Each structure stands twice: as C-alpha cells, then as structure tokens.
Amino acid sequence: MSPVQFDLQRREIAGVGVRDLAEKFGTPCYVYETDTIRQRVADLFAFDVIRYAQKACSNIAILHLMRQLGVLVDSVSGGEIHRAFAAGYAAQGGPPQIVYTADIFDEETLDLVVEHGIHVNCGSPDMLEQIGRRLPGAGVTLRINPGFGHGHSQKTNTGGPQSKHGIWHDQVDDCLQIADRHGLAVTGLHMHIGSGTDLQHLAEVCGAMEATAKIVGRSITSISAGGGLPTLYEEKDEYVDLEQYFQLWDASRQRLQDEFGHRLSLEIEPGRYLVAESGYLITEIRAVKQMGENLFYLVDAGFNNLARPILYGSYHPMSICSQQPSDKMQSVVVGGPLCESGDIFTQEEGGFVATRELPVANVGDLLIIERAGAYGFVMSSNYNSKPISAEVLVHDGQPHLIRRRQTIDDLLGLESIPGLE
Ligand code: LLP
C-alpha cells in the first residue's frame, strides 16, 4: 500500500474550515499548519543539529517556530540573515545559530556577515579569500562539490561539473592555503548534492565527505549532510528510510572521529522535508471551460503564486472544497489567470500539459494545491502585476495571519515617473 493517500475533497486544514479560511483571508492564500512541521522536526532528532534551509519557506513566523523547536537556521542571502534575526536567532553561538551558505558575497552581505560575525560556509575559493581579508582568524566551513550530484530535476541537481555550487573537490588544498594565509580555521565540511537525494547517492556522498575531511584534517569539528531529503508529492512516491539515512552519515562520522581522535557534530540541513507537507495554497475556481478535448478549471492563483509546476513540471496533489461536493470525477487541466499559456499547474517537465482526475466542481468552489509549503510562497512574483498572496499559520486550531496580502499601493509604491516626483 502507498505510504500516503491524498483525499480529493477537503473541508478543513488542521481543524479550520477551508471555506472559512478563504472568506477570512481571501484567495489565493497560503496556509501552513504547525503540527506537521513539529512532527517532521521530531523525525530528525538523531542528528546533533537540524539546520533549517529557510529558502524553502522563510516567513519569520515559521522561523520563530523552528527556533522554538530547537532548530538552527541556514541563510543564503543578507535578507535571509535579517529574517533569522527577526525570528530571534542570535548571530553566533556554538554551534552557530545562523550560517551563511553561498557561492558569492555581495558587498552588502559581506559587510553584514563581518559586522555580526556570522559563520560562513564558503562555496568558492573567492569567498574564502574575501572573508579571510575581512575577518582573519575566523572559523569557516567549506561547501564541497564532490564532482557528482542528484536532483528531482536537472535544475535542482547541485553537484557535478554543471553545477555552480560549492568548491570543486580537487581544489581543497588550494583552499587550505588561502585559509592558512589568513589564519582561518576550517572547522567543518558540508555537502549538498541536490534536492531529492536517494540512499545510493548518499553512500557516495558519505565516501566523498570522508575523503575530503581527511585532506583537511583535525581542525574539523562538524560535518553537514546538507539538505535534499525528499517528501511525498504523489501516492507512488516513497519515504526515504531515515534510519538508514542517519546510519550512513553516522558511520562516516564515527570513522572520522576515530581518525581525528575527537568528537564531530553531525548536521542535517533540510528545507523541503520540514515544511512541504504543512503548506496549502487555497485558490478559487473562477472559470470552467471546455477547449476541444480538454476541460479546464481556471483558478485565481498562477505561477506567480506557485512556480514549481512551470519550472520543474512538479506534481502537487490537489483537492476540491465545494458547496455541493460531488462524487463524480472528471479529467481536468488546472490553470491560472496569467497571460501566458504555460500558466498550468498540471504540467509535466518540458511544459507538456497533463490532466488530473478531480471531482466535478463549479465556479466559486475552492481548489486546494497541497504539499506546497516548500518553495511555494517564497518563489512568488508580481508577474502580471498580481499582488503577492497572504500567508496564514494554523496553530492550536486557530488561524493567524503571518503575512498580509500585498495591496496595489505596495505594488506601485516603489516606482516613480521621472519629472513627476
Ligand atoms: N542546503 C543547500 C546548500 C541547498 O542548496 C538546499 C537547496 C538545501 C539545503 C535544501 O534542500 P531541500 O532539503 O529543500 O531539498 N526550488 C526547488 C528546490 C531548490 C533547492 C535549492 N537548494 C524546488 O522547488 O524543488
């Protein structure tokens, strides 16, 4: 039996009526529930540090929840460092509460990192040089590209020669020289080869981690498994065996501890795994129309709200919340309001339009795009001058607005016409 079953009709999210949520907060609207996040965090208790890759869903209320659950945070931009501060994370700490992981510094972020002494996970020799000049003597970690990668889509594969991420595995010696020149201590290594990793690839990553750690030597006190833990989007998907996942990393950690004669901390850095399941995008069906052989449900959210289908052909489960629920199913294409034909939620990689079996529904019914908590809201845009949606967190059975919907004033307020200021 499939480990997960998705209902095609949905009346509530964590005890709160979907219709009530739509009426109170408008559509389209992202809704997250705290309980699932709590459970997913608890799944990973065996790791010494769970560091949330906030790029997956960076609302400060979500970050605050993570902090309360004892989860530390990864930031990939100055903006994400500011978000971590706003959620109450401290600049330093042991292990560092906030880590900046990137392949470059822009000047502003370099200044911010230096000002607060944020721990840096360097993804290029140039970053190492730049931080070395500004913060000689600091401790840094290196993000290594082991020369291979794996992802749910070519676009989420972050290892191998086609990826821009990390320090190429055979340049570790050069990096150690840069570090020595500036008195930097390389305190840890990090490998993230892609989103949607499996155990076979993981075993290779662990091997590469051990080999690289031996080159760096005893200054290492932590290793990070990166992110990439998959989540279930379709009934045919399978959970990764977390026990085995941990065992593989733990065995590498043990061997390195024996080699170095001191304890190493084992970190994991998931984004999707912690938040994907908790998030729902509530939309309203605004038109139902037949186009040749295809029946379309056109909803009021588009790829400006959820870009994963158009970017990667990603599949998201969907359900209907109807005033008059129907048991009758039909094959439909689900699309959005944008003036672009690729604005289709039921598409496969390459842009091929697919159909989905959904209950018969009418204009005014709600269509919920599920498992949208990771890389959903955060990849929103204002394309077609659509205001960015609200975000709501359901906590202890109560919905809380955690980001208000953008207004037209928000949209236009940053622009000006020369001569008319
Ligand atoms: N750590 C690093 C260094 C990363 O680059 C990433 C993701 C993560 C952790 C978290 O990966 P996760 O556990 O979420 O798979 N927008 C794409 C995903 C891009 C992931 C980029 N890096 C999507 O919607 O699938």
Side-chain angles (χ1 to χ4, degrees):
M1 207 184 92
S2 165
V4 64
Q5 266 168 331
F6 297 110
D7 288 334
L8 298 176
Q9 314 259 11
R10 173 175 288 281
R11 302 216 68 78
E12 53 177 50
I13 294 172
V16 183
V18 175
R19 174 69 52 189
D20 296 340
L21 287 163
E23 275 165 16
K24 186 156 184 204
F25 302 105
T27 57
C29 172
Y30 271 94
V31 178
Y32 314 101
E33 31 124 359
T34 52
D35 283 353
T36 316
I37 296 178
R38 275 205 190 101
Q39 287 161 21
R40 296 292 76 84
V41 168
D43 293 344
L44 302 179
F45 74 94
F47 289 84
D48 299 314
V49 172
I50 308 172
R51 188 174 295 286
Y52 175 48
Q54 65 164 298
K55 76 200 84 180
C57 183
S58 55
N59 186 292
I60 57 175
I62 302 287
L63 298 187
H64 186 258
L65 171 68
M66 294 292 181
R67 192 169 70 78
Q68 284 180 322
L69 297 174
V71 174
L72 304 184
V73 73
D74 180 60
S75 297
V76 298
S77 66
E80 286 194 354
I81 293 173
H82 285 294
R83 285 184 174 279
F85 286 154
Y89 285 102
Q92 285 140 354
Q97 292 195 19
I98 307 172
V99 166
Y100 174 71
T101 297
D103 300 294
I104 65 154
F105 283 117
D106 54 52
E107 284 296 338
E108 232 177 327
T109 307
L110 183 54
D111 288 346
L112 184 69
V113 158
V114 168
E115 181 191 344
H116 296 279
I118 301 280
H119 182 93
V120 176
N121 185 22
C122 295
S124 62
D126 286 310
M127 273 184 85
L128 202 59
E129 185 69 50
Q130 289 157 11
I131 193 73
R133 278 193 219 133
R134 296 284 301 274
L135 274 185
V140 292
T141 43
L142 304 182
R143 175 180 180 178
I144 304 296
N145 180 333
F148 56 87
H150 185 60
H152 68 72
S153 143
Q154 194 44 36
K155 292 175 193 147
T156 62
N157 181 341
T158 54
Q162 289 185 342
S163 165
K164 67 188 170 93
H165 293 297
I167 291 169
W168 192 247
H169 55 99
D170 69 5
Q171 289 175 12
V172 173
D173 274 329
D174 301 343
C175 287
L176 292 177
Q177 281 177 24
I178 299 174
D180 282 348
R181 216 174 328 120
H182 297 290
L184 298 171
V186 176
T187 59
L189 290 180
H190 169 284
M191 279 185 195
H192 170 87
I193 61 158
S195 272
T197 292
D198 58 41
L199 288 174
Q200 192 200 326
H201 283 91
L202 185 64
E204 292 172 39
V205 183
C206 290
M209 173 64 90
E210 286 178 51
T212 315
K214 285 178 191 161
I215 297 172
V216 176
R218 298 189 64 246
S219 60
I220 289 186
T221 56
S222 76
I223 53 172
S224 171
L229 279 180
T231 199
L232 307 190
Y233 289 108
E234 290 188 65
E235 291 185 0
K236 67 176 172 58
D237 292 345
E238 282 172 24
Y239 279 113
V240 67
D241 183 336
L242 284 178
E243 175 79 25
Q244 260 189 306
Y245 194 95
F246 174 77
Q247 295 299 343
L248 276 169
W249 275 112
D250 191 41
S252 287
R253 181 248 296 266
Q254 303 274 356
R255 285 190 288 271
L256 289 172
Q257 284 183 168
D258 292 346
E259 170 97 13
F260 297 150
H262 61 242
R263 211 188 118 65
L264 293 187
S265 156
L266 177 57
E267 292 203 3
I268 189 163
E269 194 179 76
R272 183 188 321 274
Y273 184 80
L274 298 182
V275 291
E277 267 176 75
S278 79
Y280 302 79
L281 174 59
I282 305 182
T283 74
E284 186 178 70
I285 299 178
R286 301 296 306 167
V288 177
K289 65 176 182 178
Q290 190 76 43
M291 309 285 278
E293 67 272 24
N294 285 326
L295 180 68
F296 283 75
Y297 285 174
L298 294 187
V299 299
D300 58 3
F303 70 72
N304 56 311
N305 301 105
L306 177 66
R308 303 193 70 252
I310 193 174
L311 278 179
Y312 321 113
S314 298
Y315 181 104
H316 282 267
M318 293 178 191
S319 57
I320 299 287
C321 175
S322 171
Q323 314 271 31
Q324 278 123 18
S326 168
D327 291 338
K328 234 179 109 207
M329 304 290 285
Q330 55 192 4
S331 281
V332 293
V333 177
V334 179
L338 301 180
C339 193
E340 181 154 338
S341 38
D343 187 26
I344 297 292
F345 289 117
T346 48
Q347 64 179 290
E348 288 162 7
E349 193 155 16
F352 300 102
V353 171
T355 56
R356 187 74 65 88
E357 287 294 302
L358 284 175
V360 168
N362 299 301
V363 170
D365 287 341
L366 301 170
L367 184 146
I368 303 115
I369 305 182
E370 307 204 352
R371 305 231 159 183
Y375 308 106
F377 177 88
V378 285
M379 291 171 78
S380 302
S381 77
N382 284 126
Y383 188 43
N384 281 196
S385 294
K386 293 279 189 184
I388 289 188
S389 72
E391 289 177 290
V392 172
L393 181 66
V394 180
H395 179 67
D396 287 341
Q398 291 303 318
H400 301 270
L401 184 65
I402 57 171
R403 180 177 163 125
R404 67 165 172 80
R405 169 185 307 280
Q406 262 184 352
T407 62
I408 295 299
D409 283 349
D410 292 332
L411 259 186
L412 298 183
L414 298 175
E415 298 173 27
S416 53
I417 300 175
L420 294 184
E421 292 95 14

